[in-house]
Amino acid sequence: MHADLVFHGGSVFSGGVLSTDSVAVRSRRIVGVGDVRDLVGPETEIVDIKGRLLLPGFQDAHIHAVMGGVELGQCDLTGTTDLAEYQRRIGDFAAANPDAEWIVGGGWAMESFEGGVPRREQLDQVVKDRPVYLLNRDHHAAWVNTRALELAGITRDTPDPASGRIDRDEHGEPVGALQEGAMDLVSVPATTAEERYAGLLRAQRLLHAFGITAWQDAMVCATNGYDDISDAYLRAAETGTLTATVVGALWWDRDRGAEQIAELEAKRGAFTVGRLRCDSVKMMLDGIAENFTAAMTEPYRDSCGCVTANRGLSFIDPELLPAYVSELDLKGFQPHFHALGDQAVRNALDAVEAARRANGPSDNRPHLAHLQVVHPQDVPRFGELGATANMQPYWASHEPQMDDLTIPFLDPALAGWQYPFGDLARAGARLAGGSDWPVSTPDPLQGIHVAVNRVHHGEDYEGFLPEQALTLAAALTAYTEGSAFVNRLDDTGRIRPGFRADLVVLDRDIFAAPAAEIGDARVALTFVDGTAAYEG
């Protein structure tokens, strides 16, 4: 039987190895690698790579695809850090949507504002008659105007919630920035089912254009003030419009305990349909470093460099976490942790270790996402416990948010332990790649560029902790084989006979160019199950 497709004439990367093999595909699967001339027939389509690079399809191990797709249709502030440009876009969006009761969107950067804190007056200048609610690019804070504060009843007398902070001026008045759980104080109208479904399809087109053939959505069936986007995935899976393979990480309600596990089991069954499988559980352990809510082993500094009493927040009680994770593991769930500060990382690893002691070895493949700060004592534990390091390498670079809003406020030792991907790899940890889009670009090639260079493509900053850089082969493996492992898609992530024909052709061979040019590359072709999903 002849192949449907044959790729030849370029380089092939798979499993850490670069070759010049040809690759044959039949009936959605790879059927030959190497000399495949005997599989070529009169109906075989020949794809000449022309010296470019063929890869397994990229997979994103931590993304918010529906959220990102919805935001593409809202007031978009990404791609700039200029306050005047923010205001222009907000004003233009409000003018173009005169019937919108709320102006919502996001993408602003903390570096755009003094101290990282935006002001309501800056929004009032362009929109006064309607409430404005704009998430920052990290999605851990909201910028609101005076009208939004009034509708929410937020005044100087409103106490901070336990899980967040209302930023205030010297008189105690709210300034227009809400951190973490304080965002829940504003009742923003929920997106509609149609908006969520349209957002998913919009996101899927974009992600296929970036060579992404599968992903893990890190917030399905959300609570705690976040939109539940599960209906969009279920509709797409049931109707066949979901062309990617998606793992849904079911949200752990941080205001509840083990009683929710039975509900998670029911959701796992209800939301495992077609190309959708929901057997991961997302546990958000802490916040982010820039607003001092990431959980750290050492206290934050203040603006004068003095030690404070603040070590960040733990959204799930560390004393209870091991029991929760042990029961989830026993039920066959994959723990997926948001662990950004080194205390949160340690808490997650302690919980995984407790599950191993309680239940013995399992194939549930726990993974820790973000890993901004990892204590050196905990680096070898990833390999020892079989916990995957789920990287978002695009963040591992000098930029104003790092240099002005993070490093000065961290304990000096902690500041030197940021994004230690090189140390993790050398210690035997399995690495997976993700973006956390819409927090940052979903383009894997931009993440890979930073993983290798420790600087954003096109920037002239000094490399950030360059000893933590990865080789190109290691970074590509993380975004292919590593993420496929996390997603438990064991017939993807490599180019070998019997595996799915989820494949990507780049517009060049990035192994043949300097590392500083990785970010110049673009995806030329994306195939899902041997069918073209994107042609650039």
Side-chain angles (χ1 to χ4, degrees):
M1 295 178 64
H2 294 135
D4 302 320
L5 281 170
V6 166
F7 298 85
H8 82 104
S11 298
V12 177
F13 179 82
S14 174
V17 177
L18 190 67
S19 71
T20 56
D21 290 331
S22 296
V23 177
V25 173
R26 181 175 63 237
S27 300
R28 304 162 58 133
R29 297 274 171 174
I30 297 167
V31 294
V33 179
D35 185 350
V36 299
R37 284 175 291 184
D38 59 337
L39 295 174
V40 176
E43 303 298 323
T44 302
E45 179 183 352
I46 306 297
V47 180
D48 187 350
I49 302 174
K50 298 179 180 178
R52 299 174 293 179
L53 183 63
L54 176 69
L55 299 157
F58 293 125
Q59 297 190 26
D60 195 311
H62 184 107
I63 193 170
H64 304 280
V66 177
M67 183 188 298
V70 167
E71 290 185 11
L72 289 175
Q74 296 178 337
C75 183
D76 183 11
L77 303 183
T78 60
T80 183
T81 58
D82 182 68
L83 174 59
E85 176 62 13
Y86 292 156
Q87 292 174 314
R88 184 193 68 77
R89 293 188 192 181
I90 295 163
D92 288 351
F93 185 87
N97 295 272
D99 297 328
E101 295 184 10
W102 285 70
I103 305 302
V104 296
W108 54 271
M110 294 176 68
E111 66 197 66
S112 304
F113 305 96
E114 183 178 355
V117 178
R119 302 283 173 152
R120 56 190 169 91
E121 294 85 359
Q122 296 159 331
L123 289 176
D124 294 342
Q125 292 171 15
V126 289
V127 181
K128 295 181 65 175
D129 60 327
R130 288 176 282 173
V132 181
Y133 182 92
L134 301 166
L135 294 168
N136 78 351
R137 68 185 187 186
D138 291 324
H139 290 68
H140 289 263
W143 180 19
V144 297
N145 67 349
T146 298
R147 183 61 180 147
L149 290 172
E150 291 172 347
L151 289 174
I154 298 174
T155 69
R156 63 180 299 160
D157 299 320
T158 304
D160 288 345
S163 59
R165 182 180 74 246
I166 301 168
D167 284 311
R168 307 171 192 266
D169 63 18
E170 64 273 17
H171 306 294
E173 297 289 345
V175 301
L178 305 172
Q179 306 289 340
E180 298 292 351
M183 297 186 291
D184 300 345
L185 300 174
V186 179
S187 297
V188 181
T191 55
T192 66
E194 285 300 321
E195 288 170 336
R196 292 189 291 273
Y197 180 66
L200 172 57
L201 298 185
R202 189 183 295 126
Q204 183 171 249
R205 288 191 295 271
L206 177 66
L207 297 177
H208 283 335
F210 285 137
I212 297 170
T213 57
W215 64 79
Q216 184 161 156
D217 194 300
M219 194 185 294
V220 176
C221 298
T223 58
N224 303 122
Y226 296 103
D227 272 355
D228 179 5
I229 49 82
S230 58
D231 58 342
Y233 278 119
L234 189 61
R235 177 177 171 184
E238 290 177 338
T239 60
T241 55
L242 188 65
T243 53
T245 303
V246 175
V247 176
L250 299 169
W251 181 258
W252 180 272
D253 189 326
R254 59 201 189 202
D255 294 330
R256 302 175 64 200
E259 72 277 4
Q260 67 187 286
I261 293 177
E263 298 168 22
L264 292 171
E265 289 185 278
K267 291 174 183 176
R268 174 170 57 184
F271 292 97
T272 296
V273 178
R275 302 182 73 93
L276 174 67
R277 190 185 78 246
C278 291
D279 57 0
S280 184
V281 174
K282 167 70 176 300
M283 309 184 85
M284 188 169 175
L285 301 189
D286 66 341
I288 61 171
E290 292 86 354
N291 67 8
F292 319 127
T293 58
M296 301 290 182
T297 58
E298 298 294 335
Y300 289 95
R301 274 33 180 180
D302 62 18
S303 59
C304 298
C306 299
V307 176
T308 71
N310 178 29
R311 295 174 187 258
L313 298 177
S314 291
F315 294 134
I316 302 175
D317 188 335
E319 297 297 319
L320 300 176
L321 183 64
Y324 297 157
V325 173
S326 296
E327 187 170 351
L328 289 170
D329 178 70
L330 188 64
K331 301 290 187 181
F333 283 107
Q334 174 190 68
H336 176 166
F337 301 98
H338 167 118
L340 198 137
D342 68 325
Q343 184 61 63
V345 172
R346 180 166 292 173
N347 293 343
L349 292 171
D350 287 347
V352 172
E353 186 173 9
R356 296 285 190 244
R357 286 197 305 267
N359 305 328
S362 77
D363 193 34
N364 293 328
R365 307 183 189 184
H367 55 119
L368 284 65
H370 307 328
L371 307 176
Q372 179 162 351
V373 180
V374 182
H375 195 289
Q377 293 177 5
D378 292 316
V379 167
R381 298 179 70 198
F382 283 81
E384 293 165 2
L385 294 171
T388 298
N390 186 338
M391 312 176 296
Q392 284 65 60
Y394 191 75
W395 305 344
S397 175
H398 280 296
E399 58 172 342
Q401 189 159 312
M402 171 64 74
D403 295 342
D404 301 336
L405 300 176
T406 301
I407 292 176
F409 301 96
L410 290 181
D411 177 275
L414 299 186
W417 298 339
Q418 295 189 78
Y419 305 115
F421 308 142
D423 283 349
L424 286 163
R426 287 184 285 270
R430 185 186 299 270
L431 305 179
S435 66
D436 205 18
W437 183 63
V439 173
S440 51
T441 175
D443 183 355
L445 290 167
Q446 298 307 312
I448 290 164
H449 181 97
V450 179
V452 174
N453 293 283
R454 302 288 287 197
V455 65
H456 288 158
H457 176 243
E459 297 286 357
D460 58 0
Y461 295 119
E462 179 185 358
F464 179 63
L465 301 176
E467 67 276 10
Q468 301 300 341
L470 297 176
T471 66
L472 176 55
L476 285 171
T477 299
Y479 276 89
T480 53
E481 187 176 353
S483 293
F485 178 86
V486 160
N487 289 331
R488 296 200 268 194
L489 298 173
D490 292 338
D491 58 353
T492 68
R494 298 186 72 174
I495 297 176
R496 60 188 302 179
F499 276 41
R500 295 190 205 177
D502 290 354
L503 301 165
V504 172
V505 177
L506 303 187
D507 66 356
R508 68 198 70 197
D509 181 354
I510 54 178
F511 283 95
E517 298 177 9
I518 294 170
D520 290 330
R522 298 292 181 268
V523 169
L525 298 167
T526 303
F527 289 83
V528 176
D529 289 338
T531 299
Y534 171 76
E535 298 183 46

